[in-house]
Amino acid sequence: LVAMAIFSSMMMLGGVALNQGLKQYHGLAEKGIVFWDYAKTIWIDKSLNSSTDYYVYTRSDGWFPYFKGSQEGISYISLAPLAGELPVVVWIRNEAEAAGMRSLVYYEVPVYTKSYDEIERDYVFSDYKKGRSLRLLEGVEGIEFSFYGYDIVDRKFGWYQNFDGNRMKCLPSSIIISYQH
């Protein structure tokens, strides 16, 4: 009888210890997933903050910094690539998924000494998808971009839904990416 009581107590304590261990494991796994979300946020922040005045030339408009922003996505030159040491052309694209959901995908291709026409050709023919990529957001709705900067034509600062380095002759000061999860 005493042996059965000791054995029952040991089994009960073992069950409690196993349950606590599983709770800790699930907590760590959940923190790991949340950590990856924070890491992506830090990465995109680093990439945008390392955007550089990579000037391109066209016959009609002369020299201007390469940056394009619209509701479809953003394209710029960054000195903080996903991997490697070369500057890259970055495309952050607002892409459609199943059931009306959206995703935000980061693409990069080494810039070397690409001309404006070569960068535009990469976009038109989707050659940017041949480079490195990373899904920043998945299964979200209502992705919107807003750009704050100086409009040289209107001579004022403001928030814009579209921002083109060719028209503005500068990079945006701030970018807001909003979405519904």
Side-chain angles (χ1 to χ4, degrees), residues 24-174:
Q24 287 179 346
Y25 172 75
H26 287 294
L28 288 174
E30 191 172 304
K31 285 181 184 176
I33 292 169
V34 173
F35 173 76
W36 181 241
D37 290 342
Y38 287 128
K40 287 190 235 181
T41 302
I42 291 168
W43 173 255
I44 190 64
D45 189 47
K46 179 182 175 190
S47 177
L48 283 167
N49 286 330
S50 295
S51 64
T52 183
D53 284 328
Y54 182 85
Y55 281 79
V56 291
Y57 179 80
T58 62
R59 287 188 178 139
S60 60
D61 299 313
W63 290 95
F64 57 91
Y66 180 76
F67 183 92
K68 285 195 167 201
S70 69
Q71 295 309 301
E72 294 178 14
I74 304 170
S75 181
Y76 59 94
I77 307 298
S78 178
L79 296 176
L82 190 61
E85 298 178 5
L86 295 173
V88 291
V89 182
V90 172
W91 288 270
I92 300 174
R93 306 295 307 152
N94 178 0
E95 297 182 347
E97 289 183 346
M101 302 306 267
R102 310 292 296 174
S103 64
L104 198 61
V105 184
Y106 173 97
Y107 298 98
E108 69 178 26
V109 175
V111 71
Y112 303 114
T113 55
K114 289 186 181 227
S115 67
Y116 180 76
D117 292 335
E118 290 170 327
I119 294 171
E120 287 297 302
R121 195 174 311 118
D122 285 349
Y123 173 70
V124 170
F125 293 111
S126 297
D127 286 345
Y128 60 89
K129 292 184 178 183
K130 295 178 181 175
R132 293 181 182 95
S133 66
L134 171 69
R135 286 197 175 275
L136 299 172
L137 293 171
E138 295 179 277
V140 296
E141 296 177 296
I143 296 176
E144 293 182 6
F145 298 92
S146 298
F147 310 95
Y148 185 80
Y150 185 72
D151 185 346
I152 198 165
V153 175
D154 294 339
R155 297 185 178 265
K156 66 176 184 174
F157 283 96
W159 285 100
Y160 302 95
Q161 296 298 309
N162 296 307
F163 198 98
D164 189 355
N166 185 2
R167 182 180 182 283
M168 305 290 199
K169 305 298 185 208
C170 63
L171 297 175
S173 302
S174 297

